[in-house]
Amino acid sequence: MDGDHEEESELVLDADIRDFFGTISHEWMVKFLKHRIADRRILRLIQKWLRAGVSEDGEWSKTEVGTPQGSVISPLLANVYLHYVFDLWVQHWRKHRATGELIVVRYADDSVLGFQHRGDAECFLQEWKERLQKFGLELHPDKTRLIEFGRFAAVSRKKHGEGKPETFNFLGFTHIGGQARKNGKFLVLRKSIRKRLLAKLKQVKDELRKRMHHPLAEVGKWLRSVIQGYFNYHAVPGNFVSLQRFRREVSKRWLRVLQRRSQKSRMSWKHLTGFAEQWLPRPKILHPYPYLRFDAKYLR
């Protein structure tokens, strides 16, 4: 990279902490909570809850690390924990160490960081590993990557014969560097992760088999809620094709189940189309582009 591209090059660090919820130190957690909670009774209750342990083969075992998996309060405590371990530290690092722009997006133990300069990204990654070791944590080697991503990534990689820019997964979407059709400006395209889409379709298929002999109207209402719920999260700009595919694949699985209700079934795709139009919602983009969603408007 040279010239203006050297200054404008952007790298993305896609990181995940290995077994975060299973390795949280109770001692550090209590220290962090004391900064937020003054009531000692609440602190004692949280300590008892943390050390309650889990039942294994009928016997209770206590542990000094980790939080109960699937518990409602676990993500809340994780955010308190990482606020001190990561958020405050990265804010200080940005002000005193970074030589370019640094953007951070974190959700529980998953995070994506954008760096303007490669040197900042490599230095941050090394110091972050050292930071986590102090708290008994480490980055997951298979889920932590440093990739070139951004406006000039395609040009830079083509110049070095490295092919198309890499993509990364975050919060259920595969993020891809693309361009707008009208003006050619850089856009971050988001598509539903294929692996998760197939997993969701498998769940729908298994449930349809259980409801095989239920009334069509009852199954139709259930499928409508499933598809609409999927759309409510995944209906982002640029993901319309994935939404269409999800609805179509659900329809196919419904048809197969209906055909197996009876050996004399005459259910065809033409018949199912009528039920699909009645019960299955059509894909529709429900979320605006990020620059519109975060655009602050003030009344004058």
Side-chain angles (χ1 to χ4, degrees):
M1 294 177 290
D2 55 2
D4 294 338
H5 290 185
E6 174 71 24
E7 292 298 325
E8 298 292 343
S9 62
E10 300 166 351
L11 284 91
V12 167
L13 176 60
D14 180 18
D16 178 67
I17 300 176
R18 185 201 291 268
D19 191 21
F20 175 74
F21 289 98
T23 55
I24 291 179
S25 169
H26 293 177
E27 181 181 357
W28 281 107
M29 173 64 77
V30 174
K31 289 182 180 179
F32 297 148
L33 288 173
K34 287 181 179 179
H35 286 272
R36 297 296 186 91
I37 303 174
D39 193 331
R40 295 182 179 180
R41 295 170 297 178
I42 300 298
L43 292 173
R44 284 198 299 269
L45 287 174
I46 294 178
Q47 286 180 281
K48 289 182 179 180
W49 175 80
L50 286 172
R51 297 179 180 179
V54 295
S55 178
E56 297 179 355
D57 298 328
E59 297 181 359
W60 287 94
S61 60
K62 294 185 178 181
T63 177
E64 296 294 328
V65 296
T67 61
Q69 297 294 317
S71 175
V72 176
I73 198 174
S74 291
L76 177 62
L77 293 179
N79 282 329
V80 174
Y81 195 93
L82 286 175
H83 173 71
Y84 293 96
V85 174
F86 178 73
D87 296 344
L88 296 181
W89 177 78
V90 74
Q91 184 177 1
H92 181 271
W93 200 96
R94 178 194 283 118
K95 292 181 179 179
H96 297 86
R97 299 297 305 279
T99 60
E101 294 292 333
L102 169 57
I103 300 175
V104 181
V105 180
R106 180 179 68 80
Y107 183 84
D109 60 328
D110 293 328
S111 57
V112 172
L113 298 91
F115 297 86
Q116 184 178 2
H117 301 145
R118 179 181 293 274
D120 285 348
E122 294 174 346
C123 180
F124 180 90
L125 180 57
Q126 180 60 35
E127 295 186 17
W128 189 14
K129 291 180 180 178
E130 297 174 358
R131 168 79 174 175
L132 290 177
Q133 288 178 358
K134 297 179 180 179
F135 300 91
L137 302 172
E138 61 178 340
L139 293 175
H140 198 297
D142 299 329
K143 298 182 180 180
T144 301
R145 297 184 302 148
L146 184 61
I147 65 174
E148 193 172 6
F149 192 89
R151 293 172 291 172
F152 303 107
V155 176
S156 176
R157 291 179 64 85
K158 184 177 180 180
K159 180 179 178 180
H160 294 85
E162 297 178 344
K164 296 182 179 180
E166 296 181 72
T167 62
F168 64 92
N169 296 333
F170 187 60
L171 299 183
F173 294 99
T174 299
H175 293 70
I176 309 167
Q179 292 182 335
R181 295 182 179 179
K182 294 183 179 180
N183 50 27
K185 290 186 177 181
F186 174 77
L187 285 177
V188 178
L189 304 178
R190 292 171 291 173
K191 293 185 178 181
S192 300
I193 297 176
R194 184 174 182 274
K195 182 178 180 180
R196 294 194 179 184
L197 187 148
L198 294 177
K200 184 64 177 179
L201 289 173
K202 186 179 184 303
Q203 293 178 2
V204 173
K205 177 182 177 180
D206 294 341
E207 187 63 27
L208 280 173
R209 287 182 176 179
K210 296 178 182 179
R211 299 170 182 256
M212 178 182 295
H213 298 289
H214 291 198
L216 288 178
E218 179 181 331
V219 178
K221 290 180 181 179
W222 172 74
L223 284 176
R224 178 168 58 190
S225 65
V226 170
I227 293 179
Q228 189 60 56
Y230 186 86
F231 288 172
N232 288 344
Y233 183 81
H234 291 86
V236 300
N239 197 35
F240 190 79
V241 175
S242 295
L243 302 181
Q244 286 182 315
R245 181 189 177 191
F246 181 77
R247 182 180 186 274
R248 182 173 61 253
E249 293 299 325
V250 168
S251 300
K252 289 180 180 179
R253 284 155 177 76
W254 194 13
L255 174 61
R256 292 169 188 168
V257 169
L258 292 178
Q259 290 175 338
R260 293 177 180 177
R261 296 179 70 175
S262 171
Q263 295 180 350
K264 299 181 180 180
S265 175
R266 297 182 180 180
M267 180 66 65
S268 65
W269 182 257
K270 182 178 180 181
H271 294 136
L272 183 69
T273 301
F275 294 116
E277 289 296 328
Q278 180 180 2
W279 297 111
L280 307 187
R282 287 280 183 178
K284 180 180 179 182
I285 299 300
L286 303 176
H287 303 286
Y289 282 96
Y291 75 91
L292 295 175
R293 183 157 50 92
F294 294 116
D295 184 19
K297 298 181 180 180
Y298 302 93
L299 297 177
R300 297 185 180 276

